[in-house]
Amino acid sequence: MLPFALQKAGSVEEAVTAGAAGWRYIAGGTTLVDLMREEVERPDRLIDINALPMNDIRVEGGDLVIGALARMADVAAHPEVRRLQPIIAESLIEGASPQLRNMASMGGNLLQRVRCPYFRMLDAACNKRTPGSGCSALDGLNAGHAIFGTSEYCVATHPSDVAVALVALDATMRVRGPEGERSFPIEQLFRLPGDTPHLEHTLRPGELILELRIPNGAYSRRARYLKVRDRASYEFALVSVAAALSIEGDVIREARLAAGGVATRPWRLRDCEAALIGRQATRQTFEETARLATQGARPLQHNHYKVELLPRTIVRALEMAGEVA
Amino acid sequence: MTASEHEGPVEPLRGRCSANAISRRQILQLAGGAATVVALPSGAIGAVETNAEETFPMTSAQLTVNGQVHQLELDPRQSLLDALRERLGLTGTKKGCNQGACGACTVLVNGKRVLSCLTLAAMHDGASIETIEGVAAGGDLHPLQAAFIAHDGLQCGFCTPGQIMSGLGCIAEGHAGSPEEIQFWMSGNICRCGAYPGIVAAIADAAGRT
């Protein structure tokens, strides 16, 4: 690991001032320390934000509000999270291992770097790690890579599970930077790679994630997260789906759908959502609407299976959400 | 979040990539003034100290390990795992993959199981840490240790300290209700042989001689 300076922030203001001056925030460190050891990440200055009062979990006006420093394990075990937004607990427990969930913060989870093996392989080409060097995944081992939102410069999937649920549920985040606070939908945090894959999110210099806010919908208590992967735990998704339905009688009134493991950012499936509204909650409806999800898919040499696996996962996730709706 | 990841002027891949505007030497100088991991003095951040030494400051942290208090001066790079093993001589905690994938380095920090390889020791000032060396009370094995022996739950033994520390966490969390639940909640501890690097080196060595 290359040498760096380490300091502790005593207040949000101190942290933001440091962030604006180029200090890099560190919370759980589960991604950053790993990448620094591999010298994929080479920050010179780290500011430890763990002492900041940003780890509370509360209900406010029906919304669930989660501090950015709340640990994945604490959020997943929290009674109000499990009662109001069980999909948040479900998607968190499907991610990482218990030890990692005890360490990793919610804000850090959303900012974690990709798991593309070439990103971590210093002798491979990677435009995300070294802009302009090329992309070894394009013609390499790309079975785990994206079929949506890709470019000729990057095809890595976004690795977070809970981000998929947060995007499906129209969650927002509040951040503070040198010029004050702002809130925006979490979906807007994530950039498409385009020709600048090294730029992964839309935070401005020094901006610190303060908290996440998840609105309460008619579907919230019935939303489900289904993750398909090569082993039953402690593995990243091949395909995952967050599904939420509000059903009256047997007619779908509201639907929320997003997919993970298939795109360069958490992938909201708005065409499928629109097609579900007003229809009967049957397997036939789910199968017909799930087909819409793969329009525009651009599979690579080894990940064609995702074009088939995605609609199947959507159907099953909708069935799971329908069972509890 | 490096500066290059922020929104703002975006340099596309065509042409040269955006280089840091500040040199490594300047950054080293920026960091030179701080002494320990303490709250930042106001105005310290961003101040350029042109005569600072080109070294990064050590940091100090007080760690309570198995009930014993240690005051340590630490290189910021030192992981909790390395601090336990190399500074305190507590080699029961094992270095397996050193990248958070195997669970061999699991310890309890303030009662919660974490991976000591993926966390910086200097970030645990004031923390209470329990390692495998602190599990047995006096000369008596902890019941979980005794159970590992009774059920032959170890082969080479390299992963065993991490398995036991993680098992203590699993039980304390209330996730030991069934074999399936235990499997799921122990999935961060991989049991494998720790000799892969030695095997590769031996093959390479042998291949060079034949």
Side-chain angles (χ1 to χ4, degrees):
Chain A
M1 199 183 295
L2 297 170
F4 57 89
L6 176 67
Q7 294 223 13
K8 187 172 179 174
S11 69
V12 171
E13 289 71 22
E14 273 183 7
V16 170
T17 302
W23 291 67
R24 185 84 177 268
Y25 300 128
I26 183 166
T30 53
T31 295
L32 185 55
V33 171
D34 186 24
L35 291 173
M36 286 169 65
R37 187 170 289 136
E38 300 298 318
E39 297 187 11
V40 175
E41 294 265 23
R42 304 174 183 198
D44 294 285
R45 294 166 288 170
L46 293 185
I47 184 135
D48 175 357
I49 59 172
N50 286 295
L52 305 183
M54 293 166 25
N55 60 358
D56 60 322
I57 300 165
R58 65 184 192 278
V59 181
E60 203 174 272
D63 296 348
L64 185 64
V65 183
I66 299 172
L69 284 173
R71 264 47 195 181
M72 290 173 69
D74 294 333
V75 177
H78 197 279
E80 287 298 284
V81 175
R82 301 183 78 88
R83 185 173 71 89
L84 294 172
Q85 303 285 356
I87 190 176
I88 298 300
E90 192 171 29
S91 60
L92 285 168
I93 287 171
E94 293 296 300
S97 69
Q99 291 100 313
L100 290 165
R101 296 197 295 268
N102 278 338
M103 304 167 78
S105 70
M106 292 296 287
N109 181 298
L110 298 177
L111 297 177
Q112 67 182 295
R113 309 299 305 273
V114 298
R115 259 62 190 184
C116 176
Y118 303 108
F119 173 65
R120 287 164 188 255
M121 207 181 288
L122 291 182
D123 54 354
C126 175
N127 288 321
K128 195 178 277 295
R129 189 187 63 246
T130 309
S133 65
C135 173
S136 291
L138 281 176
D139 299 314
L141 297 173
N142 50 36
H145 288 71
I147 57 175
F148 298 112
T150 57
S151 74
E152 61 186 299
Y153 301 106
C154 186
V155 293
T157 55
H158 192 271
S160 170
D161 288 297
V162 73
V164 179
L166 291 166
V167 164
L169 297 176
D170 291 318
T172 59
M173 65 166 48
R174 190 159 63 88
V175 303
R176 186 181 300 179
E179 285 149 30
E181 290 186 10
R182 64 184 180 115
S183 293
F184 55 90
I186 287 175
E187 188 174 12
Q188 292 176 11
L189 175 69
F190 307 107
R191 287 173 179 269
L192 292 174
D195 59 3
T196 55
H198 55 297
L199 305 178
E200 294 180 329
H201 58 72
T202 59
L203 294 176
R204 298 166 188 161
E207 277 189 333
L208 179 69
I209 303 175
L210 300 177
E211 63 186 21
L212 318 176
R213 177 177 289 264
I214 308 156
N216 189 28
Y219 42 78
S220 285
R221 298 187 195 204
R222 304 172 182 98
R224 295 296 304 271
Y225 186 72
L226 176 60
K227 182 175 180 179
V228 180
R229 45 187 160 175
D230 281 334
R231 59 185 184 196
S233 60
Y234 196 15
E235 179 60 284
F236 291 94
L238 299 173
V239 171
S240 70
V241 172
L245 292 174
S246 170
I247 300 173
E248 290 176 19
D250 61 351
V251 177
I252 299 167
R253 295 298 179 198
E254 290 184 89
R256 294 288 186 278
L257 272 178
V262 293
T264 50
R265 66 181 187 191
W267 203 246
R268 184 79 178 261
L269 299 165
R270 288 195 168 78
D271 289 349
C272 296
E273 292 175 0
L276 286 162
I277 306 299
R279 296 190 61 178
Q280 290 187 310
T282 63
R283 185 175 176 98
Q284 187 182 341
T285 297
F286 298 158
E287 286 179 347
E288 286 173 15
T289 51
R291 280 186 213 135
L292 299 172
T294 54
Q295 288 177 352
R298 295 203 309 172
L300 303 158
Q301 186 183 355
H302 302 296
N303 67 0
H304 282 262
Y305 72 94
K306 290 189 178 184
V307 180
E308 183 67 27
L309 187 56
L310 174 59
R312 288 176 183 234
T313 309
I314 291 170
V315 169
R316 183 67 194 123
L318 285 170
E319 285 183 330
M320 289 163 59
E323 282 165 15
V324 293
Chain B
M1 286 167 279
T2 63
S4 63
E5 290 171 50
H6 291 301
E7 192 173 73
V10 169
E11 287 199 33
L13 288 178
R14 295 178 292 274
R16 280 182 56 80
C17 63
S18 59
N20 286 336
I22 190 165
S23 73
R24 186 168 185 84
R25 181 184 176 88
Q26 285 173 299
I27 290 167
L28 287 160
Q29 289 170 341
L30 275 175
T36 58
V37 179
V38 292
L40 292 161
S42 62
I45 287 166
V48 178
E49 298 178 19
T50 51
N51 58 351
E53 290 178 17
E54 287 197 2
T55 57
F56 288 90
M58 297 287 276
T59 57
S60 64
Q62 181 178 294
L63 307 181
T64 301
V65 183
N66 301 327
Q68 197 174 338
V69 178
H70 302 272
Q71 187 69 39
L72 297 173
E73 291 294 309
L74 296 161
D75 184 316
R77 293 174 288 179
Q78 193 154 44
S79 67
L80 179 58
L81 172 63
D82 286 345
L84 291 170
R85 288 179 59 86
E86 295 170 16
R87 298 293 299 278
L88 303 180
L90 297 170
T91 54
T93 305
K94 298 307 181 202
K95 183 182 276 192
C97 67
N98 208 31
Q99 50 187 212
C102 77
C105 68
T106 301
V107 300
L108 304 182
V109 175
N110 297 327
K112 291 184 176 178
R113 47 174 164 161
V114 304
L115 301 172
S116 60
C117 76
L118 279 194
T119 195
L120 304 172
M123 288 171 65
H124 291 282
D125 187 29
S128 179
I129 293 148
E130 190 176 355
T131 72
I132 191 68
E133 288 89 348
V135 172
D140 298 328
L141 291 180
H142 184 282
L144 184 59
Q145 291 174 306
F148 262 69
I149 295 168
H151 293 276
D152 212 7
L154 65 165
Q155 190 178 1
C156 78
F158 192 84
C159 73
T160 311
Q163 299 275 6
I164 289 174
M165 299 314 293
S166 191
L168 292 171
C170 182
I171 293 166
E173 293 156 15
H175 292 132
S178 69
E180 292 75 22
E181 188 183 20
I182 292 167
Q183 278 186 332
F184 185 84
W185 288 84
M186 288 296 290
S187 62
N189 293 78
I190 313 294
C191 172
R192 274 187 196 143
C193 182
Y196 291 141
I199 293 167
V200 173
I203 294 170
D205 193 11
R209 289 179 188 173
T210 54

